[in-house]
Amino acid sequence: MKHKFQRLLAIFVCVVIASTSSMFAHDSKKKPDRGPKHTGSVLVFSGTGWYRHPETAAINGWLARLSNDLGMQVDVSETPADITNLLDRYDVLVLNNSNALTSLLDEKQRNKIEQWYKAGGGIVALHAALVRQTDWKWFNELAGCDFNSDSEFLEARIVVDPKAKNHPAVQGFGDSFQYKADWTNHDRSVTGLPGIQVLLRVDETTYEPVRDYFKERGGKAMGQDHPIAWTNTLNGGRFFYTELGHDVQSLETKFGRKHITQAIHWAARKDEHAKQNSTPKQ
């Protein structure tokens, strides 16, 4: 009986020691500093001044889950005051279908974005971020165009601009490929505008470019020159627009994930940092 009790006591002591060691080991791990000085590098802003896409919140979640792919923390806000108070802490501002921003952001908040961008900030604009933005002259000129109409969710042939084939946001999928999304018709083509490099165009002969709703309201297709993704590098910052982002379905593919991840990396100047780090010190 005495020996049995001693064995049980020894087992109990071992269990306690193991549990305590595990607890201390867990506590010894460095916890991330979530204080105000350590917010993420990417701010997703999804406030809207006009029509709100039903999957805007779901796209916020999809973007937040890109953090591991990006190697960057992604924070989300719909509060205009955060633009004034927090934007300086971020490298990239992602506009998630944020349309009609003059109806949402006051002049001070819009000026904040302009000055932050001119100081080297990066903007990635998704889908409806170029809808009803003509009242904000600076942003309209940066983006190059505004909204006219769109299509249904359809498969179409996407063509890579030959001058952009090495851009990381389009590289690796050939000169052309098939893709499904809602394709936006803009009020003009951005091809040839100062500072703008077209990355992708959609071949309108491979799908119906204007859905019935807009046909009844005078919507127009763009024709042979229909850019769907482009960059602008004028005025200090980096701007990236893509028509993808009407819903998660248009994003959650091998191409969609790489396209958005590399767009954010490019806007954050990750390519420049990589070149600097790879340059041998003299």
Side-chain angles (χ1 to χ4, degrees):
M1 186 71 179
K2 180 180 179 180
H3 294 301
K4 184 177 181 180
F5 173 79
Q6 289 175 336
R7 286 198 300 272
L8 290 173
L9 180 61
I11 293 172
F12 175 77
V13 170
C14 290
V15 170
V16 170
I17 291 173
S19 299
T20 304
S21 299
S22 176
M23 179 179 68
F24 283 133
H26 177 75
D27 286 345
S28 67
K29 291 181 181 179
K30 186 177 180 181
K31 295 180 180 179
D33 186 342
R34 302 289 291 176
K37 293 183 179 180
H38 295 275
T39 51
S41 302
V42 181
L43 177 62
V44 175
F45 185 77
S46 56
T48 51
W50 184 57
Y51 173 77
R52 184 173 179 83
H53 282 61
E55 288 201 34
T56 297
I59 294 169
N60 281 341
W62 186 86
L63 289 165
R65 290 189 294 276
L66 280 185
S67 288
N68 287 338
D69 292 359
L70 290 166
M72 304 165 74
Q73 184 182 311
V74 178
D75 298 335
V76 178
S77 174
E78 296 197 347
T79 304
D82 286 343
I83 296 296
T84 308
N85 300 327
L86 300 177
L87 187 57
D88 285 336
R89 300 173 182 174
Y90 295 91
D91 299 320
V92 179
L93 174 65
V94 178
L95 297 175
N96 174 13
N97 288 288
S98 298
N99 53 44
L101 284 172
T102 53
S103 299
L104 184 67
L105 304 180
D106 62 26
E107 185 175 1
K108 182 179 179 181
Q109 290 154 355
R110 297 196 303 274
N111 285 339
K112 181 63 181 181
I113 292 176
E114 293 178 24
Q115 296 307 313
W116 169 84
Y117 180 85
K118 291 174 183 177
I123 295 175
V124 176
L126 305 183
H127 196 65
L130 302 193
V131 174
R132 295 198 174 190
Q133 306 286 26
T134 54
D135 288 340
W136 188 359
K137 183 180 178 182
W138 175 85
F139 186 76
N140 183 236
E141 290 179 353
L142 179 70
C145 62
D146 203 76
F147 178 80
N148 173 270
S149 57
D150 63 14
S151 72
E152 300 288 356
F153 188 90
L154 297 171
E155 182 175 290
R157 177 173 173 259
I158 308 305
V159 180
V160 179
D161 187 287
K163 294 181 181 179
K165 63 181 181 179
N166 292 324
H167 194 286
V170 300
Q171 194 176 32
F173 291 86
D175 295 335
S176 67
F177 55 94
Q178 297 295 117
Y179 203 76
K180 290 183 178 180
D182 304 75
W183 307 111
T184 298
N185 299 299
H186 304 283
D187 58 4
R188 67 169 177 168
S189 170
V190 298
T191 300
L193 293 181
I196 287 182
Q197 169 63 63
V198 174
L199 305 181
L200 299 172
R201 291 180 176 85
V202 62
D203 181 354
E204 289 188 357
T205 66
T206 61
Y207 74 108
E208 177 54 54
V210 183
R211 59 188 170 102
D212 291 342
Y213 175 87
F214 283 110
K215 284 181 180 178
E216 297 168 359
R217 291 162 175 78
K220 297 179 180 179
M222 294 184 68
Q224 291 185 344
D225 183 24
H226 185 155
I228 60 168
W230 60 86
T231 64
N232 191 341
T233 53
L234 288 183
N235 301 323
R238 285 188 168 191
F239 175 84
F240 188 107
Y241 173 75
T242 179
E243 286 187 12
L244 302 191
H246 178 275
D247 46 28
V248 174
Q249 187 180 191
S250 70
L251 297 167
E252 186 47 43
T253 66
K254 184 178 180 180
F255 171 75
R257 291 184 71 87
K258 180 176 180 181
H259 185 59
I260 301 302
T261 299
Q262 294 301 326
I264 293 172
H265 277 172
W266 177 84
R269 302 175 185 268
K270 291 283 187 178
D271 55 334
E272 290 187 356
H273 299 327
K275 288 180 181 178
Q276 292 171 2
N277 291 335
S278 64
T279 303
K281 294 183 179 180
Q282 300 297 323

